[in-house]
Amino acid sequence: MELKGLHHVTAVTGSAQANVDFYMQVLGLRLVKRTVNQDDVSAYHLFYGDETGSAGTEITFFEWAHMPPNVPGPRSVVRTSLRVPSVDSLAWWADWLSDHQVNHGGITEFAERKQIVFTDPEGQALALVDDGGKEGGTPWAASPVPAQHAIRGLDSVNLAVHQLDPTAHVLTEVMGLRKVGVFPAPLNPEEQVHVYETAEGGAGTRVHVIEQEGRPAGRLGHGGVHHVAFRTPNGEEQIDWMNRLRGAGLQATDPIDRFYFRSVYFREPGGILYEIATDGPGFATDEDAAHLGESLALPPFLEPHRARIEAGLNPIELPVRA
Ligand code: ZN
């Protein structure tokens, strides 16, 4: 039994409209689902991904306008990296980000791969990484970004923790990741980044861990990450994972039906919320694949409350394509 890599990263935005504008028009991702946080239906849950929002391509956002800005630090995800297929693509992105007034660090290198580090307008820490054209992810045909340069999906997450060992133990001994190596941090060479990947490796399978002893813990807000989800192929293996996590002393939830996938959550010892999510059934279960994300989708148990839920949400306008 092996985790197949990253499934999605869920972050926090203070403005759904500004979030849609940036992730669709600048990053060129498809809004594959516009729904609500099932545990807080006053908040949008927006999912961006490739053409179909396949597992491993998704970055998602809760809109929590009342939250303060995120404070990065230990016990949090401090950067999310996305895959592009080549160094030529990175050069194209450097110009594109500059043209869209996005602050970025130009092309740099980390762990023997080229990347561009940047932030979204709320300070969400992101990077684009040349993954050498690995398989996985189908660019959205209507994206403003040319298909040959399009973001293919998630590459890696960067976690900051107070102590490496407990987090590393869960990654390697419980979740089956293996250590790739240790590299100097790109923005602070005095810090070491410990790189892990899921057993088979490949696209979107890496977790980077930075030990920041003695530093104040991060605080979640706009521009921060709420949790990281890993892929499991089906509900049977998910139950096995739940039992394995509990056997290792971790407090894993029962599987929760998120309608587009099923989720088991647990907090790893470094303080970061993990999820193990099934690959299916996917985003075309309740919408025509040609019209994903164009209107508010609700799981069946919330459908009777649609009028009240819609009244509590600000409308979102999708960018108009020429
Ligand atoms: Zn999730």
Side-chain angles (χ1 to χ4, degrees):
M1 184 170 73
E2 288 173 358
L3 296 171
K4 303 298 178 193
L6 300 170
H7 187 290
H8 63 269
V9 170
T10 292
V12 179
T13 179
S15 165
Q17 183 66 60
N19 190 255
V20 162
D21 291 344
F22 184 81
Y23 284 84
M24 293 186 79
Q25 290 184 290
V26 180
L27 295 193
L29 299 174
R30 184 174 191 187
L31 179 68
V32 290
K33 193 62 62 179
R34 174 195 312 212
T35 184
V36 290
N37 180 327
Q38 292 183 13
D39 306 313
D40 171 12
V41 299
S42 71
Y44 273 119
H45 192 180
L46 305 176
F47 292 75
Y48 305 91
D50 72 348
E51 180 81 23
T52 58
S54 53
T57 73
E58 301 154 49
I59 183 162
T60 93
F61 291 86
F62 298 139
E63 186 197 38
W64 280 329
H66 60 278
M67 281 193 120
N70 188 68
V71 179
R75 303 182 69 79
S76 73
V77 177
V78 291
R79 189 172 299 279
T80 301
S81 300
L82 305 164
R83 304 183 292 115
V84 298
S86 68
V87 175
D88 285 350
S89 294
L90 284 180
W92 182 90
W93 276 99
D95 290 341
W96 177 262
L97 293 174
S98 296
D99 290 347
H100 290 83
Q101 289 78 49
V102 178
N103 284 326
H104 67 85
I107 299 177
T108 55
E109 189 169 305
F110 171 70
E112 295 161 9
R113 298 187 302 168
K114 297 276 194 280
Q115 67 174 14
I116 298 174
V117 168
F118 67 105
T119 54
D120 84 357
E122 293 181 295
Q124 182 75 239
L126 300 168
L128 297 171
V129 178
D130 166 24
D131 80 340
K134 288 195 171 77
E135 284 185 20
T138 305
W140 177 34
S143 174
V145 172
Q148 74 265 33
H149 301 311
I151 291 168
R152 298 302 200 259
L154 293 165
D155 176 77
S156 49
V157 286
N158 290 262
L159 318 179
V161 296
H162 282 124
Q163 287 185 293
L164 173 68
D165 288 349
T167 291
H169 176 82
V170 169
L171 286 172
T172 58
E173 305 308 312
V174 183
M175 298 171 69
L177 279 73
R178 59 187 176 78
K179 192 157 192 175
V180 174
V182 185
F183 303 89
L187 299 181
N188 179 3
E190 290 179 5
E191 273 181 357
Q192 302 282 300
V193 184
H194 299 258
V195 175
Y196 304 84
E197 68 182 10
T198 52
E200 287 176 9
T205 57
R206 287 195 169 186
V207 176
H208 302 168
V209 184
I210 307 159
E211 186 178 61
Q212 296 181 332
E213 229 180 331
R215 295 258 296 269
R219 287 201 311 274
L220 182 66
H222 302 163
V225 169
H226 185 269
H227 66 266
V228 177
F230 295 86
R231 292 175 58 192
T232 190
N234 56 56
E236 291 77 54
E237 286 199 16
Q238 187 179 51
I239 296 279
D240 292 341
W241 278 111
M242 179 192 75
N243 290 327
R244 183 160 168 176
L245 294 165
R246 289 176 178 175
L250 295 157
Q251 295 194 348
T253 66
D254 287 336
I256 298 169
D257 187 359
R258 295 308 191 190
F259 196 57
Y260 309 110
F261 44 83
R262 292 175 70 83
S263 303
V264 165
Y265 301 89
F266 66 104
R267 201 168 289 280
E268 62 86 42
I272 292 152
L273 186 61
Y274 286 169
E275 172 184 347
I276 292 182
T278 56
D279 276 0
F283 292 105
T285 48
D286 61 348
E287 285 183 307
D288 178 352
H291 298 283
L292 296 178
E294 292 178 9
S295 56
L296 184 71
L298 295 174
F301 77 95
L302 290 176
E303 195 59 58
H305 311 290
R306 173 174 285 274
R308 180 174 61 80
I309 290 170
E310 282 189 330
L313 297 167
N314 293 316
I316 297 174
E317 287 188 36
L318 294 186
V320 178
R321 296 298 317 287

